[in-house]
Amino acid sequence: MIRRTPQQPRERGIPDATVARLPLYLRALNGLAERAVATVSSEDLAVAAGVNSAKLRKDLSHLGSYGTRGVGYDVQYLIYQISRELGLTQDWAVAIVGVGNLGRALANYGGFVSRGFRVAGLLDADPEVVGDHIAGLVVEHSDELESVIAKRGVSIVVIATPATAAQAVCDRVIASGVTSILNFAPVVLTVPAGVDVRKVDLSIELQILAFHEQRKVNGGPAVVDEIMGEEWAGEVS
Amino acid sequence: MIRRTPQQPRERGIPDATVARLPLYLRALNGLAERAVATVSSEDLAVAAGVNSAKLRKDLSHLGSYGTRGVGYDVQYLIYQISRELGLTQDWAVAIVGVGNLGRALANYGGFVSRGFRVAGLLDADPEVVGDHIAGLVVEHSDELESVIAKRGVSIVVIATPATAAQAVCDRVIASGVTSILNFAPVVLTVPAGVDVRKVDLSIELQILAFHEQRKVNGGPAVVDEIMGEEWAGEVS
DNA sequence: TCGACTTTGTGCATCACTTCACAAAGGCAC
DNA sequence: GTGCCTTTGTGAAGTGATGCACAAAGTCGA
Ligand SMILES: NC(=O)c1ccc[n+]([C@@H]2O[C@H](COP(=O)([O-])OP(=O)(O)OC[C@H]3O[C@@H](n4cnc5c(N)ncnc54)[C@H](O)[C@@H]3O)[C@@H](O)[C@H]2O)c1
Ligand SMILES: NC(=O)c1ccc[n+]([C@@H]2O[C@H](COP(=O)([O-])OP(=O)(O)OC[C@H]3O[C@@H](n4cnc5c(N)ncnc54)[C@H](O)[C@@H]3O)[C@@H](O)[C@H]2O)c1
């Protein structure tokens, strides 16, 4: 019983930056709901979500005018509206390809099953791994990728294979009609227009931290004396 | 033998957006280096890193003038310069707090040890887990957090505990002098100024994908007929 | 019913980042 | 040398996000 909203005047063009924050607001709202809070002001919600309150109000205004001046926002109603906007009122079948260290952790993770995401398939190329029972599922051979996607209506695929296999897996997944991919492998995936790839890259996050850490400690980049500093000195102006 | 660079004219104020892309360039460059490529044009490197070439050139120009007109950039030299800028010429001791599904996957992950990051401690509060051998390390009790940080010179901490424990762990870690934190727990950490927190949140990534997926399938958010749509209709204008 | 008070929603100035487009720089062939 | 060709480095314009500040809207107590 899900159908398209008849005619919604706004709807078009919610900024990406806003979309990226909606899950944050949703989490904060769920926290409030658990503590039986009925309404919340933009100021309080902003603090809970760690953002500026004007930004929060502007973000929410993209969804519609759901607040009450002088009072704030109804927590339950806002949860519903944000969930609906994010597409969490329906559930999404997710397949995880590559059931190694990371794939297992993801499969066992309760955190996304809780919100509309259902792990509908675990696939791996290694015969040793195929057949393992993880989180109530049996790992299937990645040869079955296309049929698993088709049969179980998978619309989001998580890639947790080694970097070398990621592009090939990605190509097959797209050929099967999937257009939303979450990639953990440290490679830039090449995909046709219309396919969304989001990446999670731990190593990049650490490197960004290291950059700032270095500035805090030293005030800036260091040179390694007489090891490389001199060596390179001649090569460039 | 590491010391501060004498007087660097630029150095100050590399835009955050640029810093976030440097690891990407570095990875692409390492790929080229493995294939023994000596020089690369901004165009080719941009394709490998999945960005616009003008953006790449502007990013690199923040580090200095390291290209040669008509030729491109020396791969090895650029690897060195970016590594130095990111602080990867020194190595960083990392501690992982919370050795559950995710913490184990991280500990076993070879990907960051390879680039200047060394896992120097694994800590958990669960006596069942303490004493486990993982990736050549023994899991220690989280009571030892402060002493592990001090003794092993830990400067970056990865938090992989349940959300409920994250803020407490964070506070202790900061009290021990750490100012760089990578947080996997789905909570907004409150930290004093001067402390950098980066977060990785799988659930947020999936929700963003779901948002776009919904738009592709339906053209926009759906209403759930007669279940909630009607129910809420009365509550708001 | 009214007026004081709270809080939203948004116009606007500002800031940050992106992209275009091209002059200047340098290599290389002859 | 000299001139052509490639590619960098960067002004300048464009795009999008941010945050201030406030009028308008609505609540609530008296
Ligand atoms: N473990 C981490 O903490 C971590 C962190 C960041 C990034 N990553 C990245 O995530 C990916 C997975 O990491 P991991 O530690 O789980 O590695 P892993 O080696 O433990 O697991 C990879 C799994 O993928 C399977 N596989 C290989 N080729 C396949 C294919 N073509 N189709 C299906 N399955 C295939 C392997 O059999 C293996 O089970 C890697 O790209 C890694 O760089 C891991
Ligand atoms: N597993 C995933 O794929 C995944 C994905 C995204 C986010 N997360 C988040 O990462 C965190 C860890 O996830 P997980 O699946 O590994 O959970 P987990 O329950 O398997 O592991 C958590 C570990 O933290 C330990 N711990 C609890 N309190 C502690 C404390 N005060 N000090 C030190 N250690 C403590 C526990 O003993 C346990 O070993 C959670 O916050 C989770 O929401 C996990």
Side-chain angles (χ1 to χ4, degrees):
Chain A
M1 286 307 133
I2 290 181
R3 65 149 192 240
R4 198 55 194 71
T5 310
Q7 76 271 34
Q8 206 132 347
R10 51 195 73 262
E11 178 165 24
R12 286 306 121 205
I14 296 181
D16 285 349
T18 294
V19 173
R21 283 187 294 267
L22 291 179
L24 220 57
Y25 303 152
L26 192 52
R27 186 201 291 159
L29 285 164
N30 281 315
L32 294 169
E34 269 169 33
R35 291 186 287 135
V37 176
T39 63
V40 65
S41 69
S42 63
E43 187 55 41
D44 291 351
L45 184 54
V47 169
V51 303
N52 176 298
S53 71
K55 181 153 58 179
L56 180 129
R57 286 197 298 278
K58 187 152 287 181
D59 284 344
L60 294 183
S61 77
H62 287 111
L63 312 189
S65 204
Y66 297 143
T68 306
R69 287 160 195 245
V71 176
Y73 300 88
D74 181 285
V75 172
Q76 291 299 328
Y77 185 61
L78 198 51
I79 285 175
Y80 168 67
Q81 287 299 341
I82 294 179
S83 295
R84 193 175 67 90
E85 195 66 45
L86 287 173
L88 306 181
T89 50
Q90 55 194 292
D91 83 23
W92 301 96
V94 176
I96 298 174
V97 186
V99 190
N101 289 312
L102 186 60
R104 269 159 218 269
L106 298 175
N108 282 315
Y109 180 49
F112 50 25
V113 182
S114 70
R115 286 213 221 308
F117 300 98
R118 183 170 43 84
V119 180
L122 300 175
L123 299 117
D124 203 287
D126 184 348
E128 290 284 305
V129 175
V130 173
D132 283 7
H133 290 253
I134 297 171
L137 287 170
V138 179
V139 177
E140 292 162 278
H141 195 279
S142 50
D143 289 350
E144 306 294 322
L145 185 54
E146 287 79 3
S147 81
V148 166
I149 290 173
K151 283 199 203 122
R152 308 206 192 128
V154 168
S155 45
I156 300 176
V157 168
V158 175
I159 298 180
T161 64
T164 47
Q167 183 66 58
V169 167
C170 174
D171 293 344
R172 287 176 59 193
V173 153
I174 291 170
S176 301
V178 169
T179 60
S180 297
I181 295 171
L182 180 53
N183 178 36
F184 284 87
V187 276
V188 175
L189 293 177
T190 303
V191 300
V195 176
D196 283 314
V197 177
R198 296 196 64 86
K199 65 167 199 294
V200 172
D201 194 324
L202 171 47
S203 168
I204 287 180
E205 299 302 324
L206 283 177
Q207 288 175 54
I208 295 170
L209 284 175
F211 171 84
H212 293 293
E213 186 67 24
Q214 172 175 240
R215 299 242 153 168
K216 284 183 278 199
V217 178
N218 297 327
V223 287
V224 182
D225 241 356
E226 295 168 41
I227 299 172
M228 299 205 79
E230 302 294 308
E231 208 163 292
W232 287 115
E235 286 207 13
V236 171
S237 61
Chain B
M1 287 305 133
I2 290 179
R3 66 150 191 237
R4 197 59 191 68
T5 310
Q7 77 270 35
Q8 207 132 346
R10 53 194 72 263
E11 178 165 20
R12 285 308 120 204
I14 295 182
D16 286 347
T18 295
V19 173
R21 283 187 296 267
L22 291 179
L24 220 57
Y25 304 152
L26 192 53
R27 186 201 291 159
L29 286 164
N30 280 315
L32 293 168
E34 268 169 34
R35 291 186 287 135
V37 177
T39 63
V40 65
S41 69
S42 63
E43 187 55 41
D44 291 351
L45 183 54
V47 169
V51 302
N52 177 299
S53 72
K55 181 152 59 179
L56 178 127
R57 285 198 298 279
K58 187 148 286 183
D59 283 344
L60 295 183
S61 76
H62 290 292
L63 312 189
S65 204
Y66 297 143
T68 305
R69 288 160 196 245
V71 176
Y73 300 87
D74 181 284
V75 172
Q76 290 300 328
Y77 184 62
L78 198 51
I79 286 176
Y80 168 68
Q81 287 299 341
I82 294 179
S83 296
R84 193 175 66 91
E85 195 66 46
L86 287 172
L88 306 181
T89 49
Q90 56 195 291
D91 83 22
W92 301 96
V94 176
I96 298 174
V97 185
V99 190
N101 289 312
L102 187 59
R104 270 159 218 270
L106 298 175
N108 282 316
Y109 181 49
F112 50 23
V113 182
S114 68
R115 283 212 223 310
F117 300 98
R118 183 170 44 85
V119 180
L122 299 174
L123 300 115
D124 202 288
D126 184 349
E128 291 284 306
V129 174
V130 173
D132 283 7
H133 291 251
I134 297 169
L137 287 171
V138 178
V139 177
E140 291 161 276
H141 195 279
S142 50
D143 289 349
E144 307 294 321
L145 186 54
E146 288 78 4
S147 80
V148 166
I149 290 172
K151 283 199 203 126
R152 308 205 193 130
V154 169
S155 46
I156 299 176
V157 168
V158 175
I159 298 181
T161 65
T164 46
Q167 183 66 58
V169 168
C170 174
D171 293 344
R172 288 177 59 194
V173 154
I174 292 170
S176 301
V178 169
T179 60
S180 297
I181 295 171
L182 181 53
N183 178 37
F184 284 87
V187 276
V188 175
L189 294 177
T190 302
V191 300
V195 175
D196 283 315
V197 177
R198 296 197 63 89
K199 64 167 199 294
V200 172
D201 194 324
L202 171 48
S203 169
I204 287 180
E205 299 302 323
L206 283 177
Q207 290 175 53
I208 295 171
L209 284 175
F211 171 85
H212 293 294
E213 186 68 24
Q214 172 175 240
R215 299 244 152 166
K216 284 184 278 200
V217 178
N218 297 326
V223 288
V224 182
D225 240 358
E226 294 168 44
I227 299 173
M228 299 206 76
E230 302 293 309
E231 208 163 291
W232 287 115
E235 288 207 13
V236 171
S237 62

